[in-house]
Amino acid sequence: MEKIVLLLLAVMGGAAVAMQSQVNGGLGRKIGVLEGSFISFLVGTLILFFAVLFFGKGNLLATFEVPNWQLIGGLLGALYVAITIFAVPKIGVASTLIAVVAGQIVVGAIIDHFGLFGGTRIPIDLTKLFAICLLFAAIYLFNK
């Protein structure tokens, strides 16, 4: 049951990303790609600030104790947002997201295979390789 709830939450997250892509794409057309990325992160930062202020239970000071590589998440998020703001107006939400998902799955499979970033090792097998090939075939067919 817990796995189903988590999968449904992940689907909701994916839906939010699809909506975010179109919203940010429109913002980027009006004010510029980098400017749109900045505003998107600024609004998100403000919301998270108040969420931490009123509901946070963690320890922000522990940030100074984590390895530096664990702090690049914001950089990677900014790169993602800027790329989608640039791509969505040119190729559409669906084409952008299918390419994003392909990148996520391929890199996710590599991370799992090697247990990178402290993750559990989950080897890539022939079935997963076949699925990745089908994913790229889907990208080709979707955009043909």
Side-chain angles (χ1 to χ4, degrees):
M1 182 63 172
E2 179 184 358
K3 188 172 185 178
I4 291 172
V5 170
L6 292 173
L7 288 170
L8 288 173
L9 285 172
V11 168
M12 288 173 52
V17 167
M19 290 184 285
Q20 176 195 31
S21 298
Q22 182 63 19
V23 168
N24 283 344
L27 180 65
R29 277 191 301 272
K30 295 274 187 185
I31 68 172
V33 172
L34 291 178
E35 294 80 3
S37 301
F38 172 75
I39 294 300
S40 177
F41 267 84
L42 180 63
V43 170
T45 299
L46 289 172
I47 288 171
L48 286 172
F49 170 77
F50 288 110
V52 166
L53 188 65
F54 293 111
F55 306 109
K57 304 268 189 258
N59 178 7
L60 283 176
L61 295 177
T63 304
F64 298 106
E65 300 169 12
V66 301
N68 289 337
W69 64 267
Q70 290 181 345
L71 301 176
I72 67 168
L75 172 67
L76 297 172
L79 179 64
Y80 164 75
V81 167
I83 287 170
T84 58
I85 287 174
F86 178 73
V88 164
K90 294 175 177 25
I91 63 173
V93 174
S95 291
T96 299
L97 290 181
I98 196 168
V100 165
V101 168
Q104 289 173 331
I105 291 172
V106 169
V107 173
I110 292 168
I111 289 169
D112 284 348
H113 182 77
F114 293 106
L116 301 176
F117 310 113
T120 303
R121 267 193 96 247
I122 304 170
I124 295 175
D125 57 18
L126 287 177
T127 303
K128 289 178 183 172
L129 283 175
F130 183 65
I132 288 169
C133 290
L134 288 175
L135 177 63
F136 282 97
I139 291 172
Y140 172 76
L141 290 173
F142 194 87
N143 288 287
K144 188 166 172 47

